Amino acid sequence: MRAVRYHEYGDVETLVIEQAPDPHPGPGEIRIRVAAASVNPVDWKVRSGAVRDLLPVDLPAIPGRDAVGVVDEIGADVRGVSAGDRVFGLGGVTGATAELAVLSAWAHAPTTWSDEQAAAAGLASVTALGGLRALGPLRGRTLLIEGAAGGVGSAAVELAIAHGATVIGTASERNHTFLTSLGATPTTYGPDLAHRLAPLAPTGIDLALDTAASGSLPDLIALVGDDPTRVATVADHATAQRLGAHLANAENDPTLLAEAAELGRQGRYTPRVERTYRLDEVREAHAYGERGRTRGKVVVRV
């Protein structure tokens, strides 16, 4: 199969397109013929070697954690899916940006989603839903999402609204129209956030979700009444442990993928894609995502 690979840790110049051995699913896994894969922060953190102590990989490695495609091989003990089904989901830390990829968690992709949208849904939706679940019931609550315009943040906005929350999201001013289109009330991030929130949430902020790791967790805890159990983060692990806030890790959970897919079928969640690249533009895709100013997700068509 053709695949994107890197043979050593480093920058985007280490990415090459070449022939690689076909993967095969083990028990509880499936293989898909990939239509598109998304680009996530974990991809360049792993590729650069920045997290090699925490997430070591065997080299050469194929970047990418989530993808969409058509099932073409099914492992033992798998039920509820057949060859030819269009699914989206998650594999290991690496392996998705290739013609063939093995998934360990998946759901049937809604017909309402394009391949690009379905590729963008896997990691973003399980990360967002994991963070939201940690906060408990959302209906009737006012939720502040820090970093609401990014891939996980924009998913969290729509998913929280679908669960009955009133959402205020922080983002740069260029993304405020985008947040409004998702159903959130936008504001800027940074100092004096409490002052800006006062007219937007006159009865106060009930819950907060951090997707940005911008160092704002202490401020978010203060905003919800100095109660760290009303704040969750998917990004700032060290501070969450120190302050007692909820820490939500992305998990290969098929129930979360199925929930996202069902909301997609209902038209209540549409994964947001900012840019799509061809496979031979994978270096540009990684470089753009690594700059950290994305509105939604970056996707590579395979």
Side-chain angles (χ1 to χ4, degrees):
M1 69 172 183
R2 292 176 75 229
V4 176
R5 295 206 293 183
Y6 51 96
H7 292 253
E8 60 184 1
Y9 292 119
D11 61 20
V12 296
E13 298 302 316
T14 64
L15 296 171
V16 295
I17 300 172
E18 59 188 10
Q19 291 294 315
D22 292 355
H24 296 282
E29 298 176 333
I30 62 172
R31 188 178 76 178
I32 62 171
R33 189 160 294 278
V34 177
S38 78
V39 178
N40 298 289
V42 68
D43 299 335
W44 58 81
K45 291 176 183 177
V46 170
R47 186 207 70 228
S48 70
V51 293
R52 72 179 73 184
D53 293 335
L54 180 64
L55 296 172
V57 296
D58 293 328
L59 298 174
I62 298 170
R65 229 194 121 175
D66 53 352
V68 62
V70 173
V71 178
D72 81 337
E73 193 172 315
I74 298 173
D77 304 320
V78 171
R79 302 289 183 271
V81 69
S82 303
D85 289 356
R86 179 173 173 262
V87 302
F88 73 105
L90 300 156
V93 174
T94 58
T97 316
E99 290 181 326
L100 299 169
V102 170
L103 303 182
S104 58
W106 62 88
H108 288 87
T111 58
T112 51
W113 291 353
S114 67
D115 284 341
E116 291 85 355
Q117 290 168 334
L123 189 58
S125 65
V126 299
T127 304
L129 285 169
L132 294 173
R133 278 191 175 184
L135 295 172
L138 298 177
R139 186 163 300 280
R141 316 296 291 279
T142 298
L143 169 70
L144 175 68
I145 297 178
E146 181 85 315
V152 174
S154 60
V157 168
E158 285 197 280
L159 293 166
I161 291 171
H163 283 86
T166 297
V167 176
I168 299 172
T170 68
S172 60
E173 288 188 11
R174 72 184 185 91
N175 288 324
H176 283 193
T177 300
F178 172 61
L179 289 188
T180 300
S181 75
L182 299 181
T185 299
T187 189
T188 52
Y189 45 77
D192 297 322
L193 180 57
H195 178 74
R196 293 191 298 280
L197 288 173
L200 302 179
T203 60
I205 301 296
D206 298 310
L207 305 165
L209 173 65
D210 166 44
T211 73
S214 60
S216 64
L217 270 185
D219 293 333
L220 298 182
I221 291 170
L223 284 169
V224 300
D226 291 319
D227 183 354
T229 66
R230 291 162 61 186
V231 176
T233 181
V234 300
D236 193 347
H237 295 199
T239 307
Q241 291 177 331
R242 178 170 58 84
L243 298 180
H246 295 287
L247 174 60
N249 291 308
E251 298 182 1
N252 288 22
D253 187 338
T255 63
L256 296 181
L257 293 170
E259 180 179 342
E262 180 55 32
L263 290 172
R265 291 184 189 95
Q266 296 172 12
R268 302 167 72 191
Y269 168 49
T270 302
R272 305 294 163 159
V273 178
E274 179 176 355
R275 293 197 180 189
T276 301
Y277 293 84
R278 301 187 309 270
L279 190 66
D280 61 4
E281 297 174 318
V282 67
R283 291 180 178 177
E284 291 90 333
H286 273 237
Y288 184 78
E290 200 165 351
R291 286 196 287 271
R293 293 178 57 82
T294 58
R295 177 188 300 169
K297 294 296 291 291
V298 174
V299 169
V300 175
R301 283 200 62 88
V302 177

